[in-house]
Amino acid sequence: MKNIMIKHYRFIGVFVAVLIATGCQEDFLDQTPKDSLTEETVWTDPQGATQFVNAIYGEMPSGFDRSYDGWAKGLYLLDGASDDGDVSMGWTHSTLLQNAQFLPSYVPWGNMWGTYYNLIRKTNVALENLERLEDEELKTRLTGEVYYLRGFIYHELLRLFGAKTEGGKPTGVPLIETSLDIEDDLQIPRATYAEVVDFIVADLDRAASILPTKGGIAAGRATADAAKAIKGRVLLYAERWEESAAASNELIGANYSLFGNYKELFLTKNNEEIIFAKKFAYPDKHHQSNAGGTAGAGWDVYNTPPSFRGPSDAGWGGNLPTQNLVDSYDMIDGEPQDESTLYDPENPYENLDPRFEQTIVHNGSTFRGREIELFEGGIDKPFIYTGYFLRKFHNEDLAIYSRSSDQDWIFVRYAEVLLNYAEAKNEATGPDASIYEAINSIRNRAGMPDLEAGLSKDALREAIRNERRIELAFEEHRFFDIRRWKIAESLLNGPVQGIKIIKNADGSLDYAKVDFEQRSFPSKLYVLPIPQGEIDKNPAAEQILGW
């Protein structure tokens, strides 16, 4: 960790100039470098201070641009290592993550430890220097934004590398509140999980007390609403149910609503459901900005089957839904597939929850203007091991390789807030009308009927969890949800299923669920280990859960 803490300490002016030079984006992410930057001009000049904070936003990893070993971005989502997904590119470290076949010497997505701590250092630098701005309104706003960003970054670190445990040695992550220098003690142990949660909540509360709500600041910047939404999630993960429900409830019926079209909400920038997102706008900022790798790549290239070709190459296949996920979609009458009279095994995709078609491409779907063939021998079957690929997030009108993708990555949206509230409220007090109202509003938007009334607390818990699985599929929640619910061992020690389709001579189709892959989930995989190189620099930050 030592090099993460000090690698830019010598001259903050040069440090800032490097940050500002890394990419730009329309509107608030305009990071055009200025000539002759010095420490003084950065922190006393409104544009210099704003650009410094903009760079923190711009470097926040997302599902679309998380750096893959330094040569490409966004190759696969964390859902590819859950029961909901697989990854067609077997050469990625997704295979290691799916089966715990790795050591701290090489950790899948382990580079996020250094990335997040580097960003935390930048937030600390900003908080130590923003006081020098004379523009009081700007100083206050930027300070609120940085508190939000630091809290959000610690949340990401904690859910990857920390674990909620009872007793024993600390299982949080090291808490660093200042921009450390070479003279400082750089041996920093883990804090407890509760201490990190309290720290995050304090930062988010500060941000919420300072920042405007939606409409009072440019899209893509932190708001008081975003701080409350993430606070609700952080407290949900910490199982502080009443506090989580209260935080999420502050946003219900306030400044946000459910977007009318589930599929299009991921393609419609700045819509009424989005609370906080990472902004992209080609050509200034796109999914492969500063990534190297394949020119013109991005979400649409990485997640289109190889049967589709662009001017220079074919699609990569990408993130593949499993049959396990497909089986979790209810029929349009609200009943599970194995209980509904609407289910037809000869036409298994008819009459499913409409979000199925809007999320998943299956045999017979129309995708990018033609019918998809995922039966054995079909043109689209190679490398699509599960028999399904993703429609969600796709801009099907964008020819692959014509340019890199620039869909915004949604970190938190109103539907998640409703789901967070429903889960926390049910755990805190049991079923009530407000929980049904929250869940049913999501289901009704999708065209699904209300939940069955009068469910027990346990039954409602399962209904909420399944609704969360469907609504937030491949938004990088399932990876963490099955860990915090402590059900990953029961789901991921054994086979994961796909579909095998045989096309008969008469054109009829036979469907068979098949085990396409064996998974292994030892209990230590509830958390990622700290990369060994970072432990070597900071032995005080010990490994946990058997790593």
Side-chain angles (χ1 to χ4, degrees):
M1 181 189 294
K2 184 174 179 181
N3 70 332
I4 296 169
M5 309 297 182
I6 68 174
K7 68 179 181 180
H8 297 304
Y9 84 93
R10 290 186 179 86
F11 182 38
I12 193 65
V14 174
F15 170 57
V16 171
V18 171
L19 289 179
I20 293 172
T22 57
C24 61
Q25 183 171 336
E26 292 177 351
D27 303 323
F28 87 92
L29 286 185
D30 179 9
Q31 298 166 17
T32 305
K34 300 173 69 178
D35 293 336
S36 304
L37 280 172
T38 67
E39 182 178 358
E40 184 66 23
T41 59
V42 165
W43 297 115
T44 59
D45 174 63
Q47 185 180 356
T50 301
Q51 288 176 333
F52 187 99
V53 175
N54 288 353
I56 301 174
Y57 281 104
E59 293 177 19
M60 290 273 289
S62 78
F64 290 152
D65 70 343
R66 185 181 291 112
S67 178
Y68 184 88
D69 289 352
W71 71 269
K73 291 185 176 181
L75 281 185
Y76 72 91
L77 300 174
L78 296 176
D79 303 75
S82 78
D83 55 331
D84 283 356
D86 191 39
V87 181
S88 67
M89 299 91 78
W91 47 266
T92 64
H93 53 45
S94 61
T95 303
L96 305 180
L97 188 56
Q98 290 166 348
N99 294 289
Q101 295 176 344
F102 63 92
L103 298 170
S105 56
Y106 181 73
V107 180
W109 301 122
N111 59 320
M112 291 299 99
W113 177 273
T115 296
Y116 284 129
Y117 271 111
N118 193 29
L119 288 171
I120 285 169
R121 186 181 194 281
K122 294 171 187 179
T123 63
N124 289 335
V125 167
L127 290 172
E128 291 165 3
N129 287 279
L130 281 169
E131 195 60 38
R132 297 158 70 175
L133 267 181
E134 294 182 2
D135 185 329
E136 291 295 328
E137 181 178 352
L138 179 63
K139 174 170 63 179
T140 299
R141 196 201 79 204
L142 290 178
T143 298
E145 292 181 50
V146 174
Y147 274 123
Y148 170 80
L149 290 168
R150 188 172 69 174
F152 186 92
I153 294 163
Y154 266 118
H155 163 58
E156 296 283 30
L157 265 170
L158 185 62
R159 65 180 184 164
L160 279 171
F161 298 99
K164 184 180 185 298
T165 58
E166 302 297 334
K169 63 182 182 180
T171 55
V173 294
L175 278 175
I176 303 168
E177 303 179 51
T178 60
S179 58
L180 298 179
D181 207 315
I182 195 169
E183 289 82 17
D184 293 312
D185 181 4
L186 301 178
Q187 297 303 303
I188 304 171
R190 291 178 184 262
T192 67
Y193 185 91
E195 287 171 338
V196 181
V197 169
D198 287 342
F199 184 87
I200 294 169
V201 169
D203 270 2
L204 296 174
D205 282 343
R206 289 190 194 101
S209 70
I210 294 172
L211 291 171
T213 59
K214 179 183 179 182
I217 194 169
R221 302 196 83 90
T223 62
D225 305 318
K228 293 173 183 177
I230 296 301
K231 176 182 175 181
R233 185 200 292 172
V234 169
L235 293 168
L236 184 75
Y237 278 44
E239 299 180 350
R240 289 161 57 171
W241 307 120
E242 291 184 4
E243 295 172 83
S244 173
S248 294
N249 193 44
E250 287 191 56
L251 294 175
I252 295 178
N255 299 316
Y256 300 87
S257 60
L258 296 172
F259 189 66
N261 185 311
Y262 180 78
K263 178 180 181 294
E264 293 300 319
L265 86 84
F266 304 103
L267 302 174
T268 306
K269 295 176 183 288
N270 307 325
N271 69 66
E272 60 265 32
E273 186 166 342
I274 298 171
I275 298 175
F276 183 61
K278 181 164 185 177
K279 304 292 292 174
F280 296 92
Y282 187 87
D284 296 321
K285 181 79 172 177
H286 53 79
H287 297 172
Q288 294 298 292
S289 291
N290 304 310
T294 304
W299 174 264
D300 296 286
V301 165
Y302 293 146
N303 292 278
T304 293
S307 51
F308 289 83
R309 296 193 62 86
S312 60
D313 205 344
W316 294 33
N319 297 270
L320 308 178
T322 61
Q323 186 66 42
N324 307 58
L325 173 60
V326 172
D327 287 345
S328 70
Y329 285 86
D330 288 341
M331 306 301 292
I332 56 173
D333 60 4
E335 296 294 327
Q337 294 175 39
D338 59 357
E339 298 177 17
S340 173
T341 59
L342 295 178
Y343 181 75
D344 178 1
E346 295 183 1
N347 297 284
Y349 309 127
E350 290 187 1
N351 297 316
L352 288 175
D353 182 326
R355 287 171 292 186
F356 169 74
E357 290 283 354
Q358 295 166 336
T359 302
I360 296 173
V361 179
H362 59 83
N363 184 68
S365 293
T366 298
F367 178 76
R368 292 188 173 270
R370 69 168 174 82
E371 184 173 321
I372 296 301
E373 299 179 357
L374 287 169
F375 51 82
E376 297 300 301
I379 189 175
D380 303 299
K381 187 62 173 70
F383 300 102
I384 309 301
Y385 308 115
T386 67
Y388 305 100
F389 60 93
L390 270 182
R391 187 188 304 277
K392 197 171 191 176
F393 311 123
H394 266 284
N395 179 358
E396 295 181 43
D397 295 327
L398 176 66
I400 60 172
Y401 293 104
S402 62
R403 65 169 176 82
S404 187
S405 303
D406 67 350
Q407 297 91 320
D408 291 349
W409 176 263
I410 303 172
F411 284 120
V412 60
R413 57 187 177 93
Y414 186 56
E416 187 207 334
V417 171
L418 293 172
L419 289 161
N420 291 347
Y421 170 79
E423 181 180 343
K425 184 67 173 173
N426 186 55
E427 297 299 338
T429 63
D432 71 11
S434 69
I435 298 172
Y436 279 93
E437 183 177 356
I439 296 299
N440 288 336
S441 65
I442 295 171
R443 291 172 63 84
N444 295 164
R445 185 263 299 273
M448 291 292 287
D450 290 351
L451 280 179
E452 177 187 350
L455 295 175
S456 67
K457 181 177 181 178
D458 288 347
L460 187 54
R461 177 188 298 120
E462 293 308 309
I464 291 168
R465 288 183 176 184
N466 198 64
E467 191 66 30
R468 186 178 181 92
R469 182 181 192 180
I470 297 302
E471 176 68 21
L472 303 178
F474 284 88
E475 295 177 50
E476 299 204 315
H477 290 279
R478 184 71 175 176
F479 179 88
F480 299 107
D481 285 344
I482 61 176
R483 283 163 168 76
R484 65 184 179 87
W485 293 332
K486 297 295 187 288
I487 62 174
E489 285 175 279
S490 64
L491 296 173
L492 290 174
N493 273 312
V496 179
Q497 289 198 313
I499 193 74
K500 183 176 182 178
I501 306 172
I502 302 297
K503 187 173 184 178
N504 300 310
D506 63 0
S508 63
L509 300 172
D510 294 331
Y511 298 85
K513 297 176 185 180
V514 294
D515 298 341
F516 75 89
E517 184 174 83
Q518 290 289 128
R519 297 275 178 92
S520 174
F521 193 98
S523 59
K524 66 181 181 179
L525 200 52
Y526 276 107
V527 66
L528 290 184
I530 301 171
Q532 188 60 47
E534 302 295 345
I535 288 287
D536 292 343
K537 298 161 192 168
N538 178 22
E542 299 177 358
Q543 304 285 18
I544 59 174
L545 299 193
W547 285 107

